[in-house]
Amino acid sequence: MTLFSRKRISVGLDIGSGFVKLALVDHGGDGPEVGKVAVRPTPRGAVVDGEIVDRKSVAKTVRELMREGRIKRREVVAALGGHDVFIKKVGMRRMKAGEARRAIRREAERHVPFDLEGVLVDYQILRPRETDAQMEVLLTAAKRERVKDRLALLAEAGVRASVMDVEAFALHNAFSHNYPEAADGVVALVNVGHDVTNLNVVEGGVPVLTKDLPLGSRKVAESLQREFGLSDGEAQRVLQGRQPMEGIQRVVADGVAVGIRRASAYFGARKPGAGIGRIFLSGGGACMPGMAEALAERVNIETRLVNPFERVPLRAGVGGRRVIARAAPMLFLPVGLALRAA
């Protein structure tokens, strides 16, 4: 399901319910460098919970975004997420590669909650120690129909996927490039989107738990409109910090805190003292004023906003740097996608 490319330029394309975002990464120098970024609002109602509802309007938005970013490359790195993807780390008896392929298929039948005839299955054997009798396998499955739908959308937009990735893996990729020192222990990558918040728990540098929480910036906007009589435009200005209002992050922070506590309790029960040590916050909803502080206060865990340019710098001459800096957390996923092709 994941293809790898050694091409010098790669374009990460993230199609979300709130925004369509892209990042172009140049791999040709001493290290990867972001050469272009572009963001456009997704047409209202065109993407719901990660599912494309209005393919025609989304394809048009992708075409306009490529044109706005002056992206000539017709190949992109895209991804699926949400309920259409299943990820789980499973333990198996250690075996040779040929035998493992057949065994992992049987293991998938036990764990994957979809009909295997309708899914694409991929896996990665995590490197065991020489003395280990067991091996751990990262098992991934995606609904075949959703993959076909996403490829058809891209084709309608005039591009094709050189890589079809998983959103949780792309977030982890951006994280490992920018925060390699944080690979030890257990950390949570929390991506606050428009409709959904993705919780990805990483242990020892390996994604081990993914969960989607049905809350995001849209719920905050609706709450502001309902409780304070704000228009949609006024609510968006509050979310962007252009119209101050206290406590706007509580709707998301409270819900995310519940997910964090449950995940941390799970790891603590497995291994005493192994709960979540740090939280890294990304996504458009992470840009809400005070979001990181509100979450940290609720779960009593160090929480910080991510920066996709921490160690993957913006190329000199890229315009709108101040705007990009303010929106940096929402660009974490497209940068992670573009880095995947390295």
Side-chain angles (χ1 to χ4, degrees), residues 13-202:
L13 178 65
D14 171 26
I15 300 172
S17 301
F19 294 91
V20 180
K21 296 151 281 186
L22 68 79
L24 180 148
V25 171
D26 187 339
H27 303 277
D30 294 334
E33 186 178 53
V34 178
K36 294 178 181 178
V37 295
V39 178
R40 264 183 178 260
T42 306
R44 185 183 292 272
V47 181
V48 179
D49 293 339
E51 182 177 348
I52 308 297
V53 177
D54 185 350
R55 194 166 82 185
K56 184 176 181 180
S57 66
V58 175
K60 179 183 177 184
T61 301
V62 172
R63 286 196 300 272
E64 291 172 346
L65 193 63
M66 298 288 284
R67 189 162 52 245
E68 176 187 319
R70 298 180 182 178
I71 306 295
K72 296 180 180 179
R73 189 168 200 83
R74 296 293 95 187
E75 293 183 340
V76 300
V77 184
L80 289 177
H83 303 301
D84 300 325
V85 175
F86 170 82
I87 303 168
K88 187 173 183 179
K89 187 170 75 168
V90 298
M92 298 175 60
R93 176 179 59 83
R94 189 173 179 180
M95 60 191 75
K96 295 181 180 179
E99 185 184 359
R101 279 193 292 272
R102 295 187 293 273
I104 287 168
R105 182 72 183 182
R106 293 193 297 271
E107 200 71 18
E109 292 174 351
R110 293 181 53 213
H111 294 283
V112 176
F114 313 138
D115 179 2
L116 286 193
E117 293 300 315
V119 303
L120 297 170
V121 177
D122 200 358
Y123 68 91
Q124 181 174 346
I125 298 174
L126 305 177
R127 187 178 298 278
R129 294 172 302 189
E130 291 297 323
T131 57
D132 285 348
Q134 293 286 112
M135 66 180 187
E136 291 187 319
V137 176
L138 194 61
L139 186 64
T140 309
K143 292 182 180 178
R144 192 183 302 271
E145 180 183 354
R146 293 291 179 248
V147 175
K148 288 175 63 178
D149 287 348
R150 187 57 55 94
L151 293 176
L153 164 67
L154 296 174
E156 192 169 332
V159 298
R160 75 177 189 88
S162 60
V163 176
M164 182 59 72
D165 206 350
V166 174
E167 289 179 359
F169 294 165
L171 290 167
H172 176 256
N173 201 38
F175 173 71
S176 61
H177 271 79
N178 284 287
Y179 301 97
E181 75 287 351
D184 294 335
V186 180
V187 299
L189 310 182
V190 178
N191 190 65
V192 184
H194 185 68
D195 289 328
V196 176
T197 292
N198 315 114
L199 170 60
N200 305 298
V201 181
V202 178

Side-chain angles (χ1 to χ4, degrees), residues 303-326:
T303 303
R304 61 184 294 187
L305 291 177
V306 299
N307 179 8
F309 316 116
E310 183 85 11
R311 297 196 182 186
V312 185
L314 274 171
R315 177 182 295 160
V318 174
R321 298 177 79 90
R322 292 179 63 183
V323 175
I324 291 172
R326 288 199 301 271

Side-chain angles (χ1 to χ4, degrees), residues 49 83 191-199 211-220 222 251-252 255-256 258-259 262:
D49 293 339
H83 303 301
N191 190 65
V192 184
H194 185 68
D195 289 328
V196 176
T197 292
N198 315 114
L199 170 60
K211 186 174 181 60
D212 291 326
L213 308 173
L215 48 89
S217 58
R218 180 173 64 85
K219 283 202 171 183
V220 180
E222 290 173 350
V251 176
V252 176
V256 173
V258 172
R262 287 175 177 170

Side-chain angles (χ1 to χ4, degrees), residues 207-237:
V208 293
L209 178 67
T210 64
K211 186 174 181 60
D212 291 326
L213 308 173
L215 48 89
S217 58
R218 180 173 64 85
K219 283 202 171 183
V220 180
E222 290 173 350
S223 177
L224 290 171
Q225 293 176 69
R226 184 175 58 253
E227 294 181 27
F228 300 100
L230 301 185
S231 67
D232 182 58
E234 289 170 331
Q236 293 305 319
R237 285 195 292 275

